[in-house]
Amino acid sequence: MNGLIYAFLAVGAAFNALGAVALIRFPDVYTRIHGATKCTTFGSIFSILAVAVYGIVQGGGAGGTMAVRAFLALVFLLLTNPTGSHALARAAHRSGIKPFRAVVDRLEEAGHGPRTTDHGSQENG
Amino acid sequence: MRRVAEWTTTALLVFALYLVFSAFSGRWGLWAPEELLAGAVIALLVGLATGPLVWKRGGWRLLQPQRWFLFLVYLLGPFLYAMAKANLDVAWRVLTGRINPGIVRFNPDLKTDVGRTLLANSITLTPGTLTMDVDDVTGDFFVHWIHVTDPSPTADAVCGPFPKWARRVAE
Amino acid sequence: MIVALPFAVAGLAMLGFILVCMVRLGIGPTAADRAVALDTINTLVVATMVLLGAAFNQVVLLDVALVYALLSYVGTLYIARYLERGLS
């Protein structure tokens, strides 16, 4: 069981490191969101799984509580992370940031570019 | 009548979530009585406040247990595999810096909010794609693709088997 | 007191990654870049809290991590909304 915990911790740390490097290395906002969201979600899932396995191995009331809470944290991360990154990407596009060296930009063509949306309320100025 | 059904189902779901959260709080791995009381009060308040919001636009279908089973199969099967592949893909692109980005548009033909949300989140966490916007009326998805091979792709070209699974789970 | 050393080491590594993300938080050319860096840091903080909760054998830290995950999500949504249409 200890081997499994070590493996989970190592994989989690590796992918979180990759997320941080992606945040530094990629050229524009959208690609940074790609790297940061995917890698840190995956890495955090493995880190939290390691804690959950540790709690199960420990057993008893305290260990069980730890496993359950870690599992809930995992579910929340899995639900909220992609949604938040989607909101950030849409906000970046609507605030007028062009994708770096984009081949196509159908969102701009569809008229969902800066400040011409019909979602929600329109702002004044 | 419909209102009452909405309130009670939401309250029951919140209570079940609270039971998961407060497991192992009492003796013999069971629940402590004060936790049960607090859970009941919180579930009632949350159910009254948010009941009508939860079940808008075809949410009732999610109560069928075979959908939950399908969702688990999806999560542990194709989704986990695609997510692992996505991370190795991003790792390769971080190290080589080889990208060819663009925003493409396609229509996966999903009707319900839950189906669209499921597909959008799946797309964001899988190889080289990031959902940017969804047209509420037509159901068009706008996706930032890190390596564009075709400027007007079909839904299958971008996200593989996911639209099929989203339809099976949520519609 | 540290009862599980591997978790403490992993938590320290996470702190290092948070520092790397803070570079982007500082230099990011646009506001959206900084928001993305902040979102990444939030995820890493949740992971760090869970790891340290195991390292110090304190379940309270896991509860804090749960609340932090939900609140940071709301914060991200509000920052995105602000970037989209300002203070309206």
Side-chain angles (χ1 to χ4, degrees):
Chain A
M1 244 15 192
N2 267 340
L4 190 65
I5 292 177
Y6 288 146
F8 278 170
L9 280 179
V11 171
F15 277 107
N16 275 331
L18 200 65
V21 173
L23 197 65
I24 298 295
R25 248 188 77 95
F26 273 148
D28 78 333
V29 188
Y30 307 107
T31 43
R32 275 175 207 145
I33 295 176
H34 268 283
T37 308
K38 286 198 228 317
C39 294
T40 52
T41 308
F42 201 61
S44 301
I45 282 176
F46 273 99
S47 302
I48 294 174
L49 267 183
V51 176
V53 172
Y54 176 70
I56 291 173
V57 169
Q58 243 187 358
T65 313
M66 190 177 276
V68 167
R69 306 258 156 109
F71 187 72
L72 278 179
L74 195 159
V75 171
F76 287 153
L77 272 189
L78 200 58
L79 282 178
T80 57
N81 243 349
T83 322
S85 76
H86 151 69
L88 278 176
R90 197 176 76 169
H93 198 274
R94 288 204 183 150
S95 69
I97 300 168
K98 294 268 177 294
F100 170 79
R101 281 199 327 216
V103 185
V104 284
D105 190 347
R106 301 282 183 208
L107 196 53
E108 189 79 57
E109 291 166 21
H112 288 246
R115 297 173 194 289
T116 53
T117 168
D118 53 355
H119 293 241
S121 61
Q122 289 282 46
E123 85 282 20
N124 305 314
Chain B
M1 203 56 228
R2 187 191 160 85
R3 258 302 134 78
V4 174
E6 284 169 348
W7 284 335
T8 41
T9 37
T10 313
L12 284 178
L13 281 177
V14 172
F15 189 61
L17 186 62
Y18 197 90
L19 284 186
V20 173
F21 174 74
S22 63
F24 301 104
S25 59
R27 271 178 299 173
W28 311 305
L30 293 175
W31 292 273
E34 55 266 33
E35 291 277 10
L36 288 178
L37 186 67
V41 172
I42 292 170
L44 202 65
L45 289 180
V46 175
L48 283 177
T50 63
L53 287 175
V54 177
W55 306 110
K56 256 163 69 174
R57 287 167 79 170
W60 286 112
R61 266 177 286 193
L62 295 178
L63 288 179
Q64 297 165 356
Q66 74 265 27
R67 292 184 191 276
W68 291 74
F69 176 71
L70 270 177
F71 181 65
L72 272 184
V73 170
Y74 166 69
L75 207 60
L76 296 176
F79 180 72
L80 199 66
Y81 169 70
M83 199 166 164
K85 213 172 69 179
N87 282 277
L88 296 177
D89 179 73
V90 168
W92 188 73
R93 284 185 204 287
V94 168
L95 297 178
T96 61
R98 199 172 301 168
I99 54 173
N100 183 28
I103 299 173
V104 296
R105 170 185 193 158
F106 63 90
N107 194 336
D109 198 25
L110 291 170
K111 300 284 186 297
T112 59
D113 282 354
V114 182
R116 285 174 188 170
T117 312
L118 185 63
L119 180 60
N121 279 6
S122 304
I123 285 175
T124 299
L125 289 175
T126 50
T129 46
L130 170 74
T131 314
M132 292 194 55
D133 208 347
V134 179
D135 194 316
D136 271 344
V137 183
T138 60
D140 281 356
F141 274 57
F142 297 89
V143 168
H144 185 270
W145 200 0
I146 209 166
H147 193 81
V148 176
T149 50
D150 174 8
S152 308
T154 57
D156 288 346
V158 181
C159 42
F162 290 150
K164 213 172 62 202
W165 275 98
R167 206 167 298 133
R168 221 178 280 165
V169 171
E171 299 203 345
Chain C
M1 205 189 106
I2 294 176
V3 293
L5 194 61
F7 291 102
V9 172
L12 264 183
M14 297 286 167
L15 285 182
F17 306 149
I18 290 176
L19 285 180
V20 174
C21 292
M22 276 188 172
V23 173
R24 179 54 72 191
L25 193 70
I27 64 172
T30 63
D33 283 304
R34 292 170 212 264
V36 174
L38 188 67
D39 190 38
T40 312
I41 289 175
N42 282 334
T43 312
L44 290 177
V45 166
V46 172
T48 312
M49 275 182 187
V50 173
L51 286 173
L52 290 185
F56 292 102
N57 208 4
Q58 298 264 319
V59 180
V60 183
L61 280 176
L62 271 79
D63 293 349
V64 178
L66 276 178
V67 175
Y68 189 89
L70 292 176
L71 284 184
S72 74
Y73 168 62
V74 176
T76 304
L77 287 189
Y78 267 91
I79 292 173
R81 198 189 139 97
Y82 168 68
L83 287 176
E84 228 171 82
R85 44 182 120 123
L87 289 171
S88 70

